[in-house]
């Protein structure tokens, strides 16, 4: 356990499962609202997470509004203002609203630190499982939700014997509201078949790596997101803090199976796009994800709200994933307040289903369109030509995804 020690079956107002961008921001808002809040995270931070690392204008506006502009700047993010698309030796450069890029390792650690400072208890290296009411046997089913925590070794310096004794230690906590922010496939809800989010057939998977940028990589434009497209997938490259390159890709699983390794799968995307290979890509530690495209059948349940990727995802394009996650963290707060200060009612579940669909629906249409175009090589050339001939159409699509929320009422 990290930070404040948590007793078994301790009661919280809010338990947040997952310390990604959705979880840490939601935890921060809850603690600022005076709620006793626990964030449970499966991994030990800081950790690498497969992501393109581009924070769009919409996400940035919400993070700034939460008073986080200063700590974001301390991470020394880079800024980007264009998208450089490369496909079969062809080029298309699209101007974008100014975004920032920073590693998820630094960003997520920074947000978790801010949540701690605001008063959240944090448990790292613990896998949470939300328990169906009738299986909890701990509290009146209607008032609290029970969450089992399976702890892994707490001390990286522990001896083998110490590590194995602390492995699999289980505790339980309960909460008046559980915010499920555990990412793709929402593993903490595996005991709830009604929340299933199976991957769409033919869904692509994510691959990602961070490598140093060196002199031989001068062909990678600065101040731009480079997107290398091949029929089997696409890879985005952006410079992040400390002269590093973040590479994030969405590829067909069959392409990965046919390649010698995840690295060679990434390399072949650059080759197919007619680009050189980033110098250090060959020796990169590449991480992967489960299939990306999925939609949770519901995003709320009794004393449960789902936020961020746990609600589903399409494919990565221009920074919409983190924007949806932070929009959800902000928008859910009035419902959390009602649940804790007043009482739980089924109308809160319905309210979240409606509010959530409003946050994501417009942008998801654009992303589905782009996703379809990127999968069909015969469609890609006319789409890229249309983007070149009608730059205002391109700007409209980019603007839709980067839209800054009209009302940024504070939470
Ligand atoms: C290839 C790729 C590129 C992308 N590029 C971009 C981009 O450039 N810009 C952008 O905005 N978005 C991008 N995204 C999307 C973005 O990464 C996600 O939308 C965003 O990370 C969602 O945040 P989250 O907090 O919901 O989930 P996550 O960031 O996935 O965090 C979930 C956390 O929950 C933890 N967890 C999981 N299970 C449990 C459990 N049972 N108990 C406790 N903890 C648990 C995990 O360890 C993790 O830390 C990209 C995604 C991919 C795959």
């Amino acid at each position: 356990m990290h930070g404040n020690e948590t007793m078994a079956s301790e009661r919280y107002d809010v338990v947040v499962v997952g310390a990604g961008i959705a979880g840490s921001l939601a935890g921060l808002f809850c603690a600022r609202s005076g709620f006793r809040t626990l964030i449970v995270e499966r991994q030990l931070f800081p950790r690498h997470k497969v992501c393109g690392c581009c924070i769009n204008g919409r996400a940035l506006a919400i993070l700034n509004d939460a008073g986080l502009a200063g700590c974001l700047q301390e991470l020394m993010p880079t800024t980007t203002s264009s998208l450089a698309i490369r496909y079969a030796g062809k080029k298309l450069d699209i101007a974008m609203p100014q975004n920032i890029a920073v590693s998820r390792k630094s960003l997520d650690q920074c947000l978790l630190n801010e949540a701690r400072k605001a008063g959240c208890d944090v448990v790292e290296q613990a896998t949470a499982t939300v328990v169906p009411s009738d299986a909890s046997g701990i509290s009146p089913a209607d008032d609290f939700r029970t969450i089992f925590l399976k702890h892994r070794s707490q001390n990286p310096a522990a001896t083998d014997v110490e590590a194995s004794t602390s492995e699999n230690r289980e505790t339980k906590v309960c909460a008046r509201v559980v915010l499920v922010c555990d990412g793709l496939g929402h593993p903490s809800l595996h005991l709830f078949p009604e929340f299933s989010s199976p991957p769409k057939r033919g869904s692509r998977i994510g691959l990602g790596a961070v490598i140093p940028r060196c002199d031989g990589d001068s062909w990678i434009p600065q101040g731009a997101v480079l997107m290398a497209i091949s029929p089997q997938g696409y890879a985005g490259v952006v410079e992040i803090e400390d002269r590093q390159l973040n590479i994030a890709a969405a590829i067909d699983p069959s392409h990965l199976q046919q390649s010698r390794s995840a690295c060679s799968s990434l390399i072949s995307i650059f080759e197919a796009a007619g680009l050189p290979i980033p110098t250090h890509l060959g020796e990169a530690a590449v991480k992967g994800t489960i299939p990306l495209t999925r939609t949770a059948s519901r995003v709320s349940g009794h004393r449960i709200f789902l936020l961020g990727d746990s609600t589903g995802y399409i494919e990565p394009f221009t920074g919409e994933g983190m924007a949806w996650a932070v929009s959800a963290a902000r928008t859910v707060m009035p419902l959390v307040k009602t649940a804790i200060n007043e009482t739980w009612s089924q109308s809160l579940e319905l309210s979240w289903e409606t509010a959530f669909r409003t946050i994501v629906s417009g942008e998801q249409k654009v992303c589905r369109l782009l996703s379809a175009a990127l999968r069909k090589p015969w469609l890609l050339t006319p789409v890229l030509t249309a983007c070149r001939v009608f730059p205002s159409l391109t700007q409209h699509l980019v603007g839709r995804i980067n839209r800054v929320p009209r009302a940024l009422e504070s939470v």
Side-chain angles (χ1 to χ4, degrees), residues 17-18 20-22 40-43 47 49 51-54 104 126-128 181-183 187 249 292 308-309 313 316 319 321-322:
V17 180
I21 188 163
V40 185
E41 167 55 47
R42 188 167 60 179
Q43 298 193 52
R47 55 97 175 93
K49 142 105 185 78
C51 183
C53 296
C54 297
R104 288 297 298 272
T127 301
C181 306
D182 52 355
L292 298 171
D309 278 7
Y313 191 58
M322 286 193 272

PDB file of all heavy atoms in Angstrom, residues 17-18 20-22 40-43 47 49 51-54 104 126-128 181-183 187 249 292 308-309 313 316 319 321-322, ligand 1:
ATOM      1  N   VAL A  17     -11.734   3.557  -9.169  1.00  0.00           N
ATOM      2  CA  VAL A  17     -10.919   2.416  -9.622  1.00  0.00           C
ATOM      3  C   VAL A  17     -10.122   2.851 -10.850  1.00  0.00           C
ATOM      4  O   VAL A  17     -10.694   3.159 -11.896  1.00  0.00           O
ATOM      5  CB  VAL A  17     -11.804   1.202  -9.975  1.00  0.00           C
ATOM      6  CG1 VAL A  17     -10.920   0.047 -10.447  1.00  0.00           C
ATOM      7  CG2 VAL A  17     -12.645   0.787  -8.784  1.00  0.00           C
ATOM      8  N   GLY A  18      -8.796   2.918 -10.699  1.00  0.00           N
ATOM      9  CA  GLY A  18      -7.923   3.294 -11.821  1.00  0.00           C
ATOM     10  C   GLY A  18      -7.423   4.717 -11.670  1.00  0.00           C
ATOM     11  O   GLY A  18      -8.223   5.638 -11.435  1.00  0.00           O
ATOM     12  N   GLY A  20      -5.702   6.444 -14.064  1.00  0.00           N
ATOM     13  CA  GLY A  20      -5.400   7.095 -15.345  1.00  0.00           C
ATOM     14  C   GLY A  20      -5.923   8.521 -15.274  1.00  0.00           C
ATOM     15  O   GLY A  20      -6.267   9.040 -14.201  1.00  0.00           O
ATOM     16  N   ILE A  21      -6.024   9.159 -16.422  1.00  0.00           N
ATOM     17  CA  ILE A  21      -6.414  10.574 -16.430  1.00  0.00           C
ATOM     18  C   ILE A  21      -7.850  10.761 -15.913  1.00  0.00           C
ATOM     19  O   ILE A  21      -8.132  11.705 -15.170  1.00  0.00           O
ATOM     20  CB  ILE A  21      -6.187  11.180 -17.840  1.00  0.00           C
ATOM     21  CG1 ILE A  21      -6.404  12.680 -17.821  1.00  0.00           C
ATOM     22  CG2 ILE A  21      -7.012  10.498 -18.916  1.00  0.00           C
ATOM     23  CD1 ILE A  21      -5.807  13.382 -19.028  1.00  0.00           C
ATOM     24  N   ALA A  22      -8.759   9.837 -16.250  1.00  0.00           N
ATOM     25  CA  ALA A  22     -10.149   9.947 -15.769  1.00  0.00           C
ATOM     26  C   ALA A  22     -10.188   9.781 -14.255  1.00  0.00           C
ATOM     27  O   ALA A  22     -10.816  10.568 -13.539  1.00  0.00           O
ATOM     28  CB  ALA A  22     -11.029   8.897 -16.444  1.00  0.00           C
ATOM     29  N   VAL A  40      -7.801   3.545  -6.230  1.00  0.00           N
ATOM     30  CA  VAL A  40      -7.119   2.239  -6.255  1.00  0.00           C
ATOM     31  C   VAL A  40      -6.504   2.061  -7.634  1.00  0.00           C
ATOM     32  O   VAL A  40      -7.193   2.203  -8.642  1.00  0.00           O
ATOM     33  CB  VAL A  40      -8.120   1.083  -6.022  1.00  0.00           C
ATOM     34  CG1 VAL A  40      -7.370  -0.247  -5.938  1.00  0.00           C
ATOM     35  CG2 VAL A  40      -8.948   1.320  -4.776  1.00  0.00           C
ATOM     36  N   GLU A  41      -5.223   1.739  -7.688  1.00  0.00           N
ATOM     37  CA  GLU A  41      -4.540   1.578  -8.984  1.00  0.00           C
ATOM     38  C   GLU A  41      -3.798   0.241  -9.006  1.00  0.00           C
ATOM     39  O   GLU A  41      -3.076  -0.086  -8.074  1.00  0.00           O
ATOM     40  CB  GLU A  41      -3.576   2.756  -9.220  1.00  0.00           C
ATOM     41  CG  GLU A  41      -2.592   2.586 -10.347  1.00  0.00           C
ATOM     42  CD  GLU A  41      -3.211   2.263 -11.723  1.00  0.00           C
ATOM     43  OE1 GLU A  41      -4.174   2.932 -12.131  1.00  0.00           O
ATOM     44  OE2 GLU A  41      -2.705   1.312 -12.361  1.00  0.00           O
ATOM     45  N   ARG A  42      -3.977  -0.476 -10.105  1.00  0.00           N
ATOM     46  CA  ARG A  42      -3.386  -1.813 -10.253  1.00  0.00           C
ATOM     47  C   ARG A  42      -1.854  -1.757 -10.353  1.00  0.00           C
ATOM     48  O   ARG A  42      -1.171  -2.635  -9.879  1.00  0.00           O
ATOM     49  CB  ARG A  42      -3.970  -2.411 -11.539  1.00  0.00           C
ATOM     50  CG  ARG A  42      -3.647  -3.830 -11.803  1.00  0.00           C
ATOM     51  CD  ARG A  42      -4.514  -4.379 -12.896  1.00  0.00           C
ATOM     52  NE  ARG A  42      -4.362  -3.666 -14.166  1.00  0.00           N
ATOM     53  CZ  ARG A  42      -5.010  -3.986 -15.279  1.00  0.00           C
ATOM     54  NH1 ARG A  42      -5.875  -4.981 -15.268  1.00  0.00           N
ATOM     55  NH2 ARG A  42      -4.825  -3.317 -16.387  1.00  0.00           N
ATOM     56  N   GLN A  43      -1.345  -0.703 -10.963  1.00  0.00           N
ATOM     57  CA  GLN A  43       0.097  -0.650 -11.210  1.00  0.00           C
ATOM     58  C   GLN A  43       0.806   0.254 -10.213  1.00  0.00           C
ATOM     59  O   GLN A  43       0.178   0.996  -9.478  1.00  0.00           O
ATOM     60  CB  GLN A  43       0.355  -0.126 -12.619  1.00  0.00           C
ATOM     61  CG  GLN A  43      -0.238  -1.038 -13.672  1.00  0.00           C
ATOM     62  CD  GLN A  43       0.290  -0.690 -15.046  1.00  0.00           C
ATOM     63  OE1 GLN A  43       1.500  -0.600 -15.246  1.00  0.00           O
ATOM     64  NE2 GLN A  43      -0.598  -0.503 -15.992  1.00  0.00           N
ATOM     65  N   ARG A  47       4.118   4.899 -14.506  1.00  0.00           N
ATOM     66  CA  ARG A  47       4.104   3.770 -15.428  1.00  0.00           C
ATOM     67  C   ARG A  47       3.847   4.274 -16.856  1.00  0.00           C
ATOM     68  O   ARG A  47       3.191   5.291 -17.059  1.00  0.00           O
ATOM     69  CB  ARG A  47       3.027   2.751 -15.022  1.00  0.00           C
ATOM     70  CG  ARG A  47       1.605   3.337 -14.875  1.00  0.00           C
ATOM     71  CD  ARG A  47       0.772   3.143 -16.103  1.00  0.00           C
ATOM     72  NE  ARG A  47      -0.621   3.572 -15.983  1.00  0.00           N
ATOM     73  CZ  ARG A  47      -1.054   4.761 -16.310  1.00  0.00           C
ATOM     74  NH1 ARG A  47      -0.228   5.705 -16.706  1.00  0.00           N
ATOM     75  NH2 ARG A  47      -2.349   5.054 -16.249  1.00  0.00           N
ATOM     76  N   LYS A  49       2.052   4.173 -20.412  1.00  0.00           N
ATOM     77  CA  LYS A  49       0.736   3.734 -20.883  1.00  0.00           C
ATOM     78  C   LYS A  49       0.698   3.977 -22.382  1.00  0.00           C
ATOM     79  O   LYS A  49       1.136   5.028 -22.852  1.00  0.00           O
ATOM     80  CB  LYS A  49      -0.317   4.552 -20.122  1.00  0.00           C
ATOM     81  CG  LYS A  49      -1.525   4.991 -20.879  1.00  0.00           C
ATOM     82  CD  LYS A  49      -2.734   4.165 -20.498  1.00  0.00           C
ATOM     83  CE  LYS A  49      -3.953   4.494 -21.320  1.00  0.00           C
ATOM     84  NZ  LYS A  49      -3.993   3.936 -22.663  1.00  0.00           N
ATOM     85  N   CYS A  51      -0.323   5.377 -25.504  1.00  0.00           N
ATOM     86  CA  CYS A  51      -1.162   6.553 -25.801  1.00  0.00           C
ATOM     87  C   CYS A  51      -0.367   7.457 -26.737  1.00  0.00           C
ATOM     88  O   CYS A  51       0.870   7.471 -26.688  1.00  0.00           O
ATOM     89  CB  CYS A  51      -1.487   7.298 -24.502  1.00  0.00           C
ATOM     90  SG  CYS A  51      -2.582   8.719 -24.738  1.00  0.00           S
ATOM     91  N   GLY A  52      -1.069   8.206 -27.564  1.00  0.00           N
ATOM     92  CA  GLY A  52      -0.394   9.152 -28.458  1.00  0.00           C
ATOM     93  C   GLY A  52       0.106  10.390 -27.736  1.00  0.00           C
ATOM     94  O   GLY A  52       0.874  11.180 -28.285  1.00  0.00           O
ATOM     95  N   CYS A  53      -0.370  10.597 -26.485  1.00  0.00           N
ATOM     96  CA  CYS A  53       0.125  11.660 -25.604  1.00  0.00           C
ATOM     97  C   CYS A  53      -0.242  13.072 -26.056  1.00  0.00           C
ATOM     98  O   CYS A  53       0.346  14.044 -25.574  1.00  0.00           O
ATOM     99  CB  CYS A  53       1.642  11.561 -25.425  1.00  0.00           C
ATOM    100  SG  CYS A  53       2.114  10.048 -24.611  1.00  0.00           S
ATOM    101  N   CYS A  54      -1.168  13.217 -27.010  1.00  0.00           N
ATOM    102  CA  CYS A  54      -1.574  14.550 -27.462  1.00  0.00           C
ATOM    103  C   CYS A  54      -2.808  14.981 -26.674  1.00  0.00           C
ATOM    104  O   CYS A  54      -3.838  14.305 -26.700  1.00  0.00           O
ATOM    105  CB  CYS A  54      -1.920  14.532 -28.947  1.00  0.00           C
ATOM    106  SG  CYS A  54      -0.493  14.102 -29.937  1.00  0.00           S
ATOM    107  N   ARG A 104       2.541  10.012 -20.897  1.00  0.00           N
ATOM    108  CA  ARG A 104       1.521   9.603 -19.922  1.00  0.00           C
ATOM    109  C   ARG A 104       2.185   9.235 -18.596  1.00  0.00           C
ATOM    110  O   ARG A 104       1.547   9.327 -17.547  1.00  0.00           O
ATOM    111  CB  ARG A 104       0.707   8.431 -20.472  1.00  0.00           C
ATOM    112  CG  ARG A 104      -0.240   8.822 -21.587  1.00  0.00           C
ATOM    113  CD  ARG A 104      -1.311   9.805 -21.117  1.00  0.00           C
ATOM    114  NE  ARG A 104      -2.167   9.254 -20.075  1.00  0.00           N
ATOM    115  CZ  ARG A 104      -3.272   8.563 -20.307  1.00  0.00           C
ATOM    116  NH1 ARG A 104      -3.660   8.365 -21.545  1.00  0.00           N
ATOM    117  NH2 ARG A 104      -3.992   8.088 -19.310  1.00  0.00           N
ATOM    118  N   ALA A 126      -2.753  -2.550  -6.451  1.00  0.00           N
ATOM    119  CA  ALA A 126      -3.901  -3.316  -5.938  1.00  0.00           C
ATOM    120  C   ALA A 126      -4.943  -3.409  -7.051  1.00  0.00           C
ATOM    121  O   ALA A 126      -5.327  -2.387  -7.622  1.00  0.00           O
ATOM    122  CB  ALA A 126      -4.485  -2.632  -4.719  1.00  0.00           C
ATOM    123  N   THR A 127      -5.367  -4.618  -7.360  1.00  0.00           N
ATOM    124  CA  THR A 127      -6.380  -4.813  -8.397  1.00  0.00           C
ATOM    125  C   THR A 127      -7.752  -4.821  -7.735  1.00  0.00           C
ATOM    126  O   THR A 127      -8.005  -5.613  -6.828  1.00  0.00           O
ATOM    127  CB  THR A 127      -6.129  -6.146  -9.131  1.00  0.00           C
ATOM    128  OG1 THR A 127      -4.819  -6.087  -9.690  1.00  0.00           O
ATOM    129  CG2 THR A 127      -7.141  -6.368 -10.242  1.00  0.00           C
ATOM    130  N   ALA A 128      -8.614  -3.923  -8.198  1.00  0.00           N
ATOM    131  CA  ALA A 128      -9.950  -3.799  -7.588  1.00  0.00           C
ATOM    132  C   ALA A 128     -10.963  -4.643  -8.348  1.00  0.00           C
ATOM    133  O   ALA A 128     -10.920  -4.726  -9.577  1.00  0.00           O
ATOM    134  CB  ALA A 128     -10.369  -2.329  -7.620  1.00  0.00           C
ATOM    135  N   CYS A 181     -12.949   3.747 -13.481  1.00  0.00           N
ATOM    136  CA  CYS A 181     -12.077   4.476 -14.426  1.00  0.00           C
ATOM    137  C   CYS A 181     -10.906   3.570 -14.783  1.00  0.00           C
ATOM    138  O   CYS A 181      -9.758   4.012 -14.836  1.00  0.00           O
ATOM    139  CB  CYS A 181     -11.543   5.753 -13.773  1.00  0.00           C
ATOM    140  SG  CYS A 181     -12.812   6.835 -13.109  1.00  0.00           S
ATOM    141  N   ASP A 182     -11.188   2.288 -15.003  1.00  0.00           N
ATOM    142  CA  ASP A 182     -10.098   1.319 -15.125  1.00  0.00           C
ATOM    143  C   ASP A 182      -9.738   0.997 -16.573  1.00  0.00           C
ATOM    144  O   ASP A 182      -9.067   0.013 -16.847  1.00  0.00           O
ATOM    145  CB  ASP A 182     -10.424   0.042 -14.343  1.00  0.00           C
ATOM    146  CG  ASP A 182     -11.778  -0.541 -14.703  1.00  0.00           C
ATOM    147  OD1 ASP A 182     -12.502   0.103 -15.490  1.00  0.00           O
ATOM    148  OD2 ASP A 182     -12.116  -1.630 -14.217  1.00  0.00           O
ATOM    149  N   GLY A 183     -10.197   1.825 -17.505  1.00  0.00           N
ATOM    150  CA  GLY A 183      -9.739   1.693 -18.886  1.00  0.00           C
ATOM    151  C   GLY A 183     -10.474   0.627 -19.680  1.00  0.00           C
ATOM    152  O   GLY A 183     -11.516   0.109 -19.272  1.00  0.00           O
ATOM    153  N   PRO A 187     -11.981  -4.045 -16.382  1.00  0.00           N
ATOM    154  CA  PRO A 187     -11.770  -5.333 -15.706  1.00  0.00           C
ATOM    155  C   PRO A 187     -12.347  -5.407 -14.291  1.00  0.00           C
ATOM    156  O   PRO A 187     -12.687  -6.506 -13.835  1.00  0.00           O
ATOM    157  CB  PRO A 187     -10.245  -5.487 -15.686  1.00  0.00           C
ATOM    158  CG  PRO A 187      -9.686  -4.157 -16.070  1.00  0.00           C
ATOM    159  CD  PRO A 187     -10.722  -3.443 -16.857  1.00  0.00           C
ATOM    160  N   ALA A 249       0.395   3.346 -31.991  1.00  0.00           N
ATOM    161  CA  ALA A 249      -0.169   2.828 -33.242  1.00  0.00           C
ATOM    162  C   ALA A 249      -1.437   2.038 -32.986  1.00  0.00           C
ATOM    163  O   ALA A 249      -1.643   1.492 -31.897  1.00  0.00           O
ATOM    164  CB  ALA A 249       0.860   1.920 -33.919  1.00  0.00           C
ATOM    165  N   LEU A 292      -9.204  -2.381 -29.323  1.00  0.00           N
ATOM    166  CA  LEU A 292      -9.587  -1.018 -28.908  1.00  0.00           C
ATOM    167  C   LEU A 292     -11.074  -0.707 -29.053  1.00  0.00           C
ATOM    168  O   LEU A 292     -11.661  -0.046 -28.197  1.00  0.00           O
ATOM    169  CB  LEU A 292      -8.815  -0.006 -29.759  1.00  0.00           C
ATOM    170  CG  LEU A 292      -7.287  -0.027 -29.639  1.00  0.00           C
ATOM    171  CD1 LEU A 292      -6.661   0.863 -30.697  1.00  0.00           C
ATOM    172  CD2 LEU A 292      -6.878   0.430 -28.253  1.00  0.00           C
ATOM    173  N   GLY A 308     -14.351   7.527 -18.826  1.00  0.00           N
ATOM    174  CA  GLY A 308     -13.155   7.287 -19.631  1.00  0.00           C
ATOM    175  C   GLY A 308     -13.279   6.036 -20.490  1.00  0.00           C
ATOM    176  O   GLY A 308     -14.362   5.646 -20.929  1.00  0.00           O
ATOM    177  N   ASP A 309     -12.138   5.391 -20.745  1.00  0.00           N
ATOM    178  CA  ASP A 309     -12.120   4.236 -21.653  1.00  0.00           C
ATOM    179  C   ASP A 309     -12.939   3.061 -21.142  1.00  0.00           C
ATOM    180  O   ASP A 309     -13.256   2.157 -21.912  1.00  0.00           O
ATOM    181  CB  ASP A 309     -10.669   3.749 -21.852  1.00  0.00           C
ATOM    182  CG  ASP A 309      -9.924   4.566 -22.890  1.00  0.00           C
ATOM    183  OD1 ASP A 309     -10.469   5.578 -23.352  1.00  0.00           O
ATOM    184  OD2 ASP A 309      -8.793   4.182 -23.228  1.00  0.00           O
ATOM    185  N   TYR A 313     -14.300   2.724 -26.489  1.00  0.00           N
ATOM    186  CA  TYR A 313     -13.324   3.526 -27.223  1.00  0.00           C
ATOM    187  C   TYR A 313     -13.487   3.217 -28.700  1.00  0.00           C
ATOM    188  O   TYR A 313     -14.101   2.193 -29.056  1.00  0.00           O
ATOM    189  CB  TYR A 313     -11.901   3.175 -26.737  1.00  0.00           C
ATOM    190  CG  TYR A 313     -10.828   4.121 -27.230  1.00  0.00           C
ATOM    191  CD1 TYR A 313     -10.904   5.484 -26.953  1.00  0.00           C
ATOM    192  CD2 TYR A 313      -9.761   3.660 -27.978  1.00  0.00           C
ATOM    193  CE1 TYR A 313      -9.933   6.355 -27.425  1.00  0.00           C
ATOM    194  CE2 TYR A 313      -8.782   4.521 -28.438  1.00  0.00           C
ATOM    195  CZ  TYR A 313      -8.880   5.869 -28.166  1.00  0.00           C
ATOM    196  OH  TYR A 313      -7.927   6.733 -28.631  1.00  0.00           O
ATOM    197  N   PRO A 316      -7.542   5.791 -31.890  1.00  0.00           N
ATOM    198  CA  PRO A 316      -6.922   7.090 -31.616  1.00  0.00           C
ATOM    199  C   PRO A 316      -6.806   7.971 -32.855  1.00  0.00           C
ATOM    200  O   PRO A 316      -6.399   7.492 -33.907  1.00  0.00           O
ATOM    201  CB  PRO A 316      -5.524   6.700 -31.111  1.00  0.00           C
ATOM    202  CG  PRO A 316      -5.252   5.361 -31.695  1.00  0.00           C
ATOM    203  CD  PRO A 316      -6.585   4.684 -31.860  1.00  0.00           C
ATOM    204  N   GLY A 319      -6.481  13.183 -30.181  1.00  0.00           N
ATOM    205  CA  GLY A 319      -6.524  13.569 -28.780  1.00  0.00           C
ATOM    206  C   GLY A 319      -7.900  13.533 -28.171  1.00  0.00           C
ATOM    207  O   GLY A 319      -8.138  14.118 -27.123  1.00  0.00           O
ATOM    208  N   GLY A 321      -9.528  10.892 -26.891  1.00  0.00           N
ATOM    209  CA  GLY A 321      -9.695   9.930 -25.786  1.00  0.00           C
ATOM    210  C   GLY A 321      -9.555  10.602 -24.433  1.00  0.00           C
ATOM    211  O   GLY A 321     -10.419  10.460 -23.560  1.00  0.00           O
ATOM    212  N   MET A 322      -8.474  11.337 -24.243  1.00  0.00           N
ATOM    213  CA  MET A 322      -8.282  12.003 -22.954  1.00  0.00           C
ATOM    214  C   MET A 322      -9.319  13.108 -22.758  1.00  0.00           C
ATOM    215  O   MET A 322      -9.745  13.376 -21.638  1.00  0.00           O
ATOM    216  CB  MET A 322      -6.862  12.549 -22.852  1.00  0.00           C
ATOM    217  CG  MET A 322      -5.838  11.445 -22.626  1.00  0.00           C
ATOM    218  SD  MET A 322      -4.232  12.086 -22.144  1.00  0.00           S
ATOM    219  CE  MET A 322      -3.459  12.361 -23.718  1.00  0.00           C
TER     220      MET A 322
HETATM  221  C1  LIG B   1      -2.515   3.824 -29.560  1.00  0.00           C
HETATM  222  C2  LIG B   1      -3.302   4.841 -28.775  1.00  0.00           C
HETATM  223  C3  LIG B   1      -3.066   6.201 -28.975  1.00  0.00           C
HETATM  224  C4  LIG B   1      -3.827   7.146 -28.302  1.00  0.00           C
HETATM  225  N1  LIG B   1      -3.548   8.464 -28.480  1.00  0.00           N
HETATM  226  C5  LIG B   1      -4.236   9.388 -27.807  1.00  0.00           C
HETATM  227  C6  LIG B   1      -3.897  10.765 -27.912  1.00  0.00           C
HETATM  228  O1  LIG B   1      -2.940  11.158 -28.573  1.00  0.00           O
HETATM  229  N2  LIG B   1      -4.658  11.652 -27.217  1.00  0.00           N
HETATM  230  C7  LIG B   1      -5.698  11.256 -26.434  1.00  0.00           C
HETATM  231  O2  LIG B   1      -6.370  12.115 -25.861  1.00  0.00           O
HETATM  232  N3  LIG B   1      -6.021   9.973 -26.296  1.00  0.00           N
HETATM  233  C8  LIG B   1      -5.306   9.031 -26.940  1.00  0.00           C
HETATM  234  N4  LIG B   1      -5.580   7.710 -26.734  1.00  0.00           N
HETATM  235  C9  LIG B   1      -6.672   7.346 -25.834  1.00  0.00           C
HETATM  236  C10 LIG B   1      -6.267   7.537 -24.369  1.00  0.00           C
HETATM  237  O3  LIG B   1      -5.085   6.819 -24.100  1.00  0.00           O
HETATM  238  C11 LIG B   1      -7.399   7.037 -23.472  1.00  0.00           C
HETATM  239  O4  LIG B   1      -8.626   7.498 -23.955  1.00  0.00           O
HETATM  240  C12 LIG B   1      -7.202   7.516 -22.039  1.00  0.00           C
HETATM  241  O5  LIG B   1      -6.007   7.001 -21.513  1.00  0.00           O
HETATM  242  C13 LIG B   1      -8.369   7.067 -21.172  1.00  0.00           C
HETATM  243  O6  LIG B   1      -8.054   7.337 -19.840  1.00  0.00           O
HETATM  244  P1  LIG B   1      -8.676   6.465 -18.678  1.00  0.00           P
HETATM  245  O7  LIG B   1      -8.272   7.138 -17.416  1.00  0.00           O
HETATM  246  O8  LIG B   1     -10.098   6.188 -18.955  1.00  0.00           O
HETATM  247  O9  LIG B   1      -7.959   5.026 -18.786  1.00  0.00           O
HETATM  248  P2  LIG B   1      -6.449   4.635 -18.628  1.00  0.00           P
HETATM  249  O10 LIG B   1      -5.567   5.764 -18.927  1.00  0.00           O
HETATM  250  O11 LIG B   1      -6.290   3.369 -19.396  1.00  0.00           O
HETATM  251  O12 LIG B   1      -6.288   4.313 -17.070  1.00  0.00           O
HETATM  252  C14 LIG B   1      -6.874   3.202 -16.485  1.00  0.00           C
HETATM  253  C15 LIG B   1      -6.078   2.839 -15.235  1.00  0.00           C
HETATM  254  O13 LIG B   1      -6.805   1.846 -14.504  1.00  0.00           O
HETATM  255  C16 LIG B   1      -5.898   0.894 -13.990  1.00  0.00           C
HETATM  256  N5  LIG B   1      -6.654  -0.341 -13.762  1.00  0.00           N
HETATM  257  C17 LIG B   1      -7.142  -1.200 -14.683  1.00  0.00           C
HETATM  258  N6  LIG B   1      -7.814  -2.202 -14.060  1.00  0.00           N
HETATM  259  C18 LIG B   1      -7.760  -1.953 -12.756  1.00  0.00           C
HETATM  260  C19 LIG B   1      -8.269  -2.619 -11.607  1.00  0.00           C
HETATM  261  N7  LIG B   1      -9.018  -3.733 -11.705  1.00  0.00           N
HETATM  262  N8  LIG B   1      -8.005  -2.117 -10.396  1.00  0.00           N
HETATM  263  C20 LIG B   1      -7.263  -0.982 -10.274  1.00  0.00           C
HETATM  264  N9  LIG B   1      -6.756  -0.297 -11.319  1.00  0.00           N
HETATM  265  C21 LIG B   1      -7.014  -0.776 -12.539  1.00  0.00           C
HETATM  266  C22 LIG B   1      -4.839   0.799 -15.082  1.00  0.00           C
HETATM  267  O14 LIG B   1      -3.644   0.278 -14.570  1.00  0.00           O
HETATM  268  C23 LIG B   1      -4.728   2.244 -15.556  1.00  0.00           C
HETATM  269  O15 LIG B   1      -3.710   2.939 -14.851  1.00  0.00           O
HETATM  270  C24 LIG B   1      -4.833   6.738 -27.395  1.00  0.00           C
HETATM  271  C25 LIG B   1      -5.055   5.384 -27.166  1.00  0.00           C
HETATM  272  C26 LIG B   1      -4.297   4.433 -27.834  1.00  0.00           C
HETATM  273  C27 LIG B   1      -4.520   2.970 -27.555  1.00  0.00           C
END
